[in-house]
Amino acid sequence: MIDENKRIQSVERALLLLEALAAEGGEARLTDLAERVGLNKSTLHGLLNTLAAMGYVTRRGTRYGLGLRIREIAQPLADQDFELKERFAPALEGLAKRCGETCYLAVPCGSREYLYVDAIEGAGSLRFGSPRGRREGLTTSAIGKVFLAFNPDLLRSLRRADKVGAALETELKEIVEVGYALDLEQAEPGLNCLAIPLRRHGRVEAALGVAGSSKILDEPTLNRLARQVFKEMFDIIKL
């Protein structure tokens, strides 16, 4: 696991720049990129030229775009992404059908965030746009806390960065004991969430989440839902 105090700024900036290009639809002007990533144009121009020389960025007039070399190195990940979604699709679909609320499939992303890789929007009282591709903090949601509770490397990394307080430590121990995490209006007023770890060969590889109105998905309902999922989907979530 990477030491948070030893992150290399130039590498971090280059990757943020590629993410910004992707967020802009794969192509953007220098001015727009500078505003999005918060860098001056001189620094940004140097990063773009370096990435262009390596094939990760292309230039079309006054606009910069993602280079085809990214597709080459990303192909193995695309295959893994498809396999993961295919493997846990029955659990995601089963949970969505049972509760009628918006459900998510997420995976760890770095040492501080997780990434939504799939979602089924529910017909419940609260409706959300698809979060696919969006990242969230590990310490601010039920899904993130599931990853921290069952991944010692992630937890150690955040401890070294002084991001884990006493209250969170206690909560993570409780999550390990019960096997799932709840967010009872902690992240957002009126919104309750449940997150369940998804294992492969005994290791937590992803998380299944559901979010909805606190009036409908109250604490007893979420606890009951978690027990039902463990009982009905054991073969999927516990391998």
Side-chain angles (χ1 to χ4, degrees):
M1 185 61 62
I2 296 174
D3 188 333
E4 291 290 324
N5 296 318
K6 295 181 179 179
R7 295 186 299 182
I8 300 174
Q9 189 179 62
S10 58
V11 175
E12 191 170 35
R13 286 176 169 178
L15 294 176
L16 287 173
L17 179 54
L18 292 176
E19 290 182 0
L21 276 169
E24 290 284 344
E27 189 174 284
R29 298 180 305 165
L30 182 68
T31 301
D32 296 329
L33 289 172
E35 183 176 347
R36 180 178 278 272
V37 300
L39 296 175
N40 63 61
K41 292 181 180 180
S42 176
T43 299
L44 191 57
H45 194 262
L47 288 171
L48 286 167
N49 283 342
T50 300
L51 290 169
M54 298 181 68
Y56 294 106
V57 165
T58 60
R59 184 172 182 177
R60 303 177 183 90
T62 60
R63 301 178 68 84
Y64 292 88
L66 294 174
L68 290 178
R69 189 169 184 183
I70 292 177
R71 184 176 63 184
E72 294 179 13
I73 65 171
Q75 185 57 49
L77 293 179
D79 296 339
Q80 291 177 33
D81 178 68
F82 175 80
E83 181 184 359
L84 184 144
K85 287 193 286 189
E86 185 177 46
R87 174 179 180 77
F88 293 120
L92 181 64
E93 293 166 1
L95 180 61
K97 183 177 180 180
R98 170 169 285 282
C99 68
E101 300 290 344
T102 300
C103 297
Y104 312 95
L105 180 64
V107 296
C109 181
S111 59
R112 291 195 180 185
E113 297 173 320
Y114 65 88
L115 178 74
Y116 292 108
V117 294
D118 207 354
I120 295 178
E121 187 175 355
S125 56
L126 292 181
R127 296 176 66 83
F128 309 89
S130 174
R132 292 180 186 86
R134 194 178 76 215
R135 298 188 300 188
E136 299 283 359
L138 288 172
T139 64
T140 57
S141 71
I143 290 177
K145 291 172 186 176
V146 156
F147 290 134
L148 285 178
F150 294 101
N151 188 322
D153 289 335
L154 283 178
L155 185 55
R156 279 194 292 270
S157 177
L158 287 192
R159 280 172 176 160
R160 287 195 295 267
D162 294 324
K163 299 293 183 180
V164 184
L168 180 56
E169 291 276 13
T170 299
E171 186 176 2
L172 294 177
K173 290 178 182 178
E174 294 172 351
I175 291 170
V176 171
E177 290 178 3
V178 300
Y180 59 90
L182 298 182
D183 174 355
L184 304 176
E185 301 189 71
Q186 295 168 312
E188 183 178 332
L191 185 71
N192 281 354
C193 306
L194 162 68
I196 296 171
L198 299 173
R199 291 177 170 82
R200 186 176 186 184
H201 304 308
R203 178 181 178 181
V204 173
E205 188 173 76
L208 189 65
V210 57
S213 167
S214 58
K215 294 180 180 179
I216 297 175
L217 295 182
D218 56 19
E219 186 173 2
T221 298
L222 290 176
N223 285 322
R224 184 168 59 253
L225 182 60
R227 291 193 295 269
Q228 291 170 341
V229 170
F230 282 120
K231 180 180 180 180
E232 298 173 6
M233 304 181 191
F234 183 86
D235 290 343
I236 300 174
I237 67 178
K238 283 288 188 177
L239 291 180

